Amino acid sequence: AVLFGVTLLLVGIYLFTRPKAPQALESALVRQPASLLAGASNAGFSRAEGPIELNFPADHGAHPDFQTEWWYYTGNLITSSGRRFGYQLTFFRRALLPTSQVSPRSSGWSSNQVYMAHFGLSDIGGETFHAEERLERGAVGLAGAESPPFKVWLNDWSVTETTPGSYRLVASQPTPAGWLEVKLDLVDRKGPILHGDRGYSQKGPQPGNASYYVSLTRLETSGEVVLNDTRYPVEGLS
């Protein structure tokens, strides 16, 4: 399927270009998933083959019977003085094997799920772009997705439902020039928008060449951006 191919490319680029990974981490998180993903098929996984009934907030969470899934947030922000920022925070989930093929293991570190996250911030006035990325297994609380209440996270990057329809988004990272961070409150003013046929978004002519695609297209946003240790109160839409 098209979506599987695109995600494999993104994961592959990240896995094979991740700089300065410690040897143990590289062995556990890079080489093994990379070898599995390189030859992975979607046999045994659920596929998007037609409209299904979607129920929220439960369907905002993870669907582990499917091989690939992601949650992404993008927004335009502005300060009271007119300084503009754009941000993006995306979480990817990738199953290594279908759940029916996973053997029970006693170790809490074992996981059938790999999570990757991208965080980007555009400083429009400063004409700079900052980007970070992370990779973790979905074990011992390092990364995951759940609902209700909805939460998706990788280490300390997260989006958490605080009350029905309201979310807290947090991502931060040290940089050579100082601290980079967004702390934002998102309030849904429109409700879920289902793409295609009731959320079934066809990508190609063959059965399964599709995704279930839902958007929250009007999230009123407020909070702060920290760039090079300077804090900027912001508002906007996500």
Side-chain angles (χ1 to χ4, degrees):
V2 172
L3 289 178
F4 292 157
V6 171
T7 304
L8 273 172
L9 174 62
L10 290 169
V11 174
I13 290 172
Y14 179 81
L15 291 173
F16 292 110
T17 61
R18 190 167 188 261
K20 301 180 181 179
Q23 187 65 32
L25 181 64
E26 183 180 10
S27 176
L29 292 181
V30 179
R31 292 178 180 173
Q32 184 182 23
S35 63
L36 289 171
L37 290 173
S41 75
N42 53 27
F45 291 98
S46 296
R47 303 183 71 184
E49 296 183 332
I52 60 174
E53 182 179 356
L54 296 173
N55 297 294
F56 302 103
D59 275 318
H60 287 317
H63 300 79
D65 289 339
F66 289 81
Q67 187 175 35
T68 306
E69 187 167 22
W70 60 88
W71 303 257
Y72 66 90
Y73 298 82
T74 62
N76 295 302
L77 309 171
I78 191 168
T79 69
S80 58
S81 64
R83 184 160 182 166
R84 294 182 297 134
F85 298 94
Y87 82 90
Q88 171 259 333
L89 180 64
T90 305
F91 299 88
F92 298 89
R93 179 193 63 79
R94 177 76 175 184
L96 303 179
L97 291 171
T99 53
S100 61
Q101 298 179 22
V102 177
S103 301
R105 298 180 63 185
S106 59
S107 172
W109 288 92
S110 65
S111 177
N112 182 46
Q113 307 293 326
V114 174
Y115 282 80
M116 180 176 67
H118 292 169
F119 168 38
L121 181 73
S122 298
D123 176 12
I124 308 304
E127 297 184 342
T128 59
F129 175 70
H130 309 267
E132 303 291 343
E133 55 190 2
R134 294 180 178 181
L135 177 72
E136 277 289 6
R137 69 185 73 190
V140 296
L142 295 173
E146 59 191 25
S147 187
F150 171 70
K151 182 178 182 181
V152 60
W153 74 97
L154 193 158
N155 300 144
D156 58 348
W157 296 0
S158 65
V159 179
T160 305
E161 186 177 22
T162 54
T163 60
S166 297
Y167 307 89
R168 179 71 161 171
L169 182 151
V170 179
S172 61
Q173 188 78 18
T175 70
W179 194 248
L180 174 67
E181 183 176 47
V182 293
K183 287 184 178 179
L184 303 173
D185 292 306
L186 314 176
V187 181
D188 182 15
R189 297 302 189 191
K190 194 172 182 179
I193 302 300
L194 306 182
H195 294 244
D197 184 359
R198 292 162 285 170
Y200 173 70
S201 180
Q202 187 78 23
K203 302 297 192 297
Q206 300 301 319
N209 289 355
S211 68
Y212 295 117
Y213 200 124
V214 180
S215 293
L216 303 177
T217 60
R218 190 170 184 85
L219 296 169
E220 289 186 357
T221 305
S222 61
E224 65 178 17
V225 169
V226 179
L227 180 60
N228 301 337
D229 298 329
T230 300
R231 296 184 179 273
Y232 300 91
V234 293
E235 294 183 343
L237 289 173
S238 301

